């Protein structure tokens, strides 16, 4: 990872590792794993997209393979989550630079249903928060969820993130009004926690 603190430019060219997981950049050989995840309607239930077709997943994989620089507002990086024990890609975690000026970021994660409920999203998010605060120098990270997405709410709460907002039916998604809960944590809170 290289960093120029003067403009928050960060090029992410490395991997992150925890006890059970490796987070690494996507490669073309990850298509099948990404398709297995993004083509599922249960995975996409509380997301803005999907379920995705093979062509859509191909385009998405291309985007994921290009995004390694958090430079401008809206830039994001998405890392494949590899289960070290089996070398399987079981999901992905993402960080988006919401505002370079205000050092704000956003966290995201998706785990294949076969692997949910083992704490992998939480373990992934911890690595991403550590990177966001420690290496990227961000000040505040948010997580945005549809409040009915209980599994995701549990992850954010377990990380010590504070529920700061609940917008009622502020978005029209997939043919219905949806609400949005916003969670957040500051760099100093992460260091303390
Ligand atoms: C949200 C998601 C990433 C959680 O992944 P995960 O690896 O199962 O998460 P963890 O195991 O770290 O933690 C999940 C927690 O929620 C609980 N949980 C799992 N599924 C649940 C469900 N359907 N309803 C309520 N709680 C649930 C788990 O029991 C665990 O809590 P606990 O350890 O206190 O018992 C996963 O469900 C997912 O990929 N969903 C589809 C994509 C998505 O919605 N991503 C988030 C977008 S905001």
């Amino acid at each position: 990872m290289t960093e120029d603190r003067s403009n928050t430019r960060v090029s992410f060219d490395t991997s992150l590792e925890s006890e059970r997981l490796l987070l690494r950049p996507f490669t073309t050989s990850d298509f099948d794993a990404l398709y297995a995840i993004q083509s599922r309607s249960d995975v996409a239930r509380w997301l803005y997209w999907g379920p995705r077709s093979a062509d859509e997943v191909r385009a998405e994989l291309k985007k994921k393979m290009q995004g390694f620089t958090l430079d401008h507002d809206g830039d994001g990086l998405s890392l494949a989550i590899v289960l070290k024990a089996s070398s399987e890609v079981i999901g992905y975690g993402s960080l988006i630079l919401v505002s370079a000026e205000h050092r704000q970021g956003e966290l995201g994660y998706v785990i294949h249903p076969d692997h949910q409920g083992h704490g992998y999203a939480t373990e992934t998010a911890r690595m991403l928060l550590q990177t966001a605060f420690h290496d990227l120098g961000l000040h505040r990270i948010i997580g945005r969820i549809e409040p009915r997405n209980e599994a995701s709410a549990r992850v954010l709460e377990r990380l010590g993130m504070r529920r700061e907002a609940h917008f009622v039916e502020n978005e029209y998604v997939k043919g219905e009004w949806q609400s949005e809960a916003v969670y957040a944590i500051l760099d100093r809170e992460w260091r303390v926690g």
Side-chain angles (χ1 to χ4, degrees), residues 49-65:
W49 49 262
R52 283 188 168 134
S53 67
D55 280 349
E56 288 171 330
V57 172
R58 221 165 272 123
E60 186 64 19
L61 180 58
K62 207 169 157 191
K63 256 177 32 196
K64 287 184 184 304
M65 288 169 51

Side-chain angles (χ1 to χ4, degrees), residues 121-184:
T122 308
E123 199 166 315
T124 296
R126 281 191 206 288
M127 283 190 269
L128 292 173
L129 285 176
Q130 179 66 15
T131 299
F133 290 132
H134 189 263
D135 301 312
L136 278 56
L138 295 182
H139 174 62
R140 178 174 174 270
I141 305 293
I142 63 164
R144 295 185 300 124
I145 65 167
E146 216 295 339
R148 287 173 286 178
N149 191 347
E150 287 177 39
S152 192
R154 290 283 292 276
V155 171
L156 297 174
E157 281 157 15
R158 195 165 324 110
L159 293 165
M161 294 178 77
R162 176 178 45 254
R163 190 170 174 130
E164 292 189 340
H166 181 139
F167 300 109
V168 179
E169 296 191 8
N170 64 332
E171 295 176 322
Y172 194 74
V173 183
K174 297 177 183 171
E176 64 169 6
W177 286 108
Q178 292 195 356
S179 299
E180 182 182 37
V182 180
Y183 288 74

Side-chain angles (χ1 to χ4, degrees), residues 15-23 84 123 127:
S15 300
L16 305 173
E17 203 170 337
S18 63
E19 198 188 332
R20 300 179 296 170
L21 304 175
L22 178 72
L23 302 195
K84 281 159 72 171
E123 199 166 315
M127 283 190 269

